[in-house]
Amino acid sequence: MLRKLFFAAVLAAVVALPAAAARHAAPDVVVQSLLMPGVSYQRQVQFTPHGPVVLDVVTAPRPDGSLYTLAPALSNNAIVGTEKLTDVEKEMSTIVTSVGVNGDYFAANPGKPTGLVMRGGVLESAPASMRSSLGIAADGTLTVARVAFDGTWKGTGQRRQLDLNAPPVKGHTTLYTSAWGPTTPAESGVVADVIPSLPPLVPNNVDSGTVSQVLAGGPVPIPPGGAVLVARGNQAPHLTAEAPAGTTVEIRPTLTPNWNGMTGG
């Protein structure tokens, strides 16, 4: 009996052919193989005026969330750090039979995907505003759209902007959840609020947690199931004044359009 099949989309890129190139001859299939019953692989070469383009194509049944599942995976099971696709598949091999496909561009240091990452309906990386995102619904259907992110935090004052699981940017406040990795980035001259318990970030929901301690600098260990809010530059005084230890902080990660119903992306 087949084990559950998992189609993983892991860190890398999707290349779109120019419309003019797509009108030329159909791709030549140079490699074709059956991976398992119902799942096949083809390597195609599309000859275009700009040179050959290689297409890797996996054909499989529509994901049903039971035997077949389509979902994103992260190298090292974290936003930071890189790993070979084959190593990611080997790590999954004890529990599922997987077919891995590179799914997003990434910055080599620290290895963060440049676009949206949602796993199990939980938002872990914000979308890139100038690129399209791929959403995976519970029934296996796919949606492609430009998705905008608006993240905010609120302590005792007004609502203020935040980035999510992103490298430091001067004058920005960033929320780091345990999806980022074990610690926040190494920084000096910042204010860091430790939130020991924070519900998983579901798009367009408001979650809240209580600040247990306020630290200066980093790296700061990120509590499993919690988060660390780090403010820099002119935002640091706001975090100090509006979210001291004992304060309940609200976090609102908003996606437009609302992708609350997506299980992955």
Side-chain angles (χ1 to χ4, degrees):
M1 182 171 126
L2 287 177
R3 288 182 296 168
K4 181 176 179 180
L5 177 63
F6 183 80
F7 303 96
V10 190
L11 295 186
V14 175
V15 179
L17 293 177
R23 288 195 294 268
H24 286 260
D28 292 332
V29 177
V30 294
V31 176
Q32 183 166 326
S33 60
L34 183 67
L35 302 180
M36 63 190 73
V39 181
S40 62
Y41 164 76
Q42 285 185 352
R43 169 158 288 191
Q44 304 175 356
V45 178
Q46 173 83 63
F47 294 98
T48 78
H50 306 286
V53 175
V54 176
L55 307 173
D56 293 308
V57 180
V58 174
T59 303
R62 175 173 166 173
D64 58 10
S66 177
L67 181 61
Y68 297 97
T69 300
L70 175 64
L74 287 170
S75 65
N76 307 288
N77 198 35
I79 295 290
V80 294
T82 57
E83 195 174 17
K84 291 181 179 179
L85 178 59
T86 51
D87 290 337
V88 176
E89 292 176 298
K90 287 176 184 176
E91 291 164 6
M92 296 178 179
S93 64
T94 59
I95 54 174
V96 295
T97 300
S98 64
V99 177
V101 179
N102 285 334
D104 197 3
Y105 289 107
F106 65 93
N109 185 13
K112 181 192 181 302
T114 57
L116 177 90
V117 176
M118 286 177 61
R119 295 189 295 172
V122 177
L123 183 62
E124 298 180 337
S125 177
S129 60
M130 300 305 294
R131 292 179 54 206
S132 296
S133 297
L134 173 70
I136 306 167
D139 63 358
T141 56
L142 303 179
T143 299
V144 177
R146 289 280 181 91
V147 182
F149 173 75
D150 179 27
T152 62
W153 70 273
K154 184 179 184 301
T156 59
Q158 69 186 60
R159 223 164 251 293
R160 301 187 183 276
Q161 297 299 125
L162 62 76
D163 298 332
L164 174 63
N165 288 332
V169 176
K170 184 178 179 180
H172 284 217
T173 299
T174 307
L175 181 74
Y176 293 99
T177 68
S178 51
W180 170 261
T183 67
T184 65
E187 298 180 82
S188 59
V190 302
V191 174
D193 275 17
V194 179
I195 305 172
S197 179
L198 184 70
L201 297 183
V202 176
N204 301 72
N205 278 14
V206 177
D207 294 317
S208 61
T210 302
V211 178
S212 63
Q213 58 182 149
V214 180
L215 303 172
V220 174
I222 302 172
V228 179
L229 196 57
V230 179
R232 309 168 185 89
N234 60 5
Q235 294 301 307
H238 296 309
L239 190 60
T240 299
E242 299 170 18
T247 303
T248 297
V249 175
E250 288 185 358
I251 305 294
R252 178 183 291 173
T254 302
L255 293 182
T256 305
N258 187 344
W259 274 19
N260 194 317
M262 299 295 178
T263 61

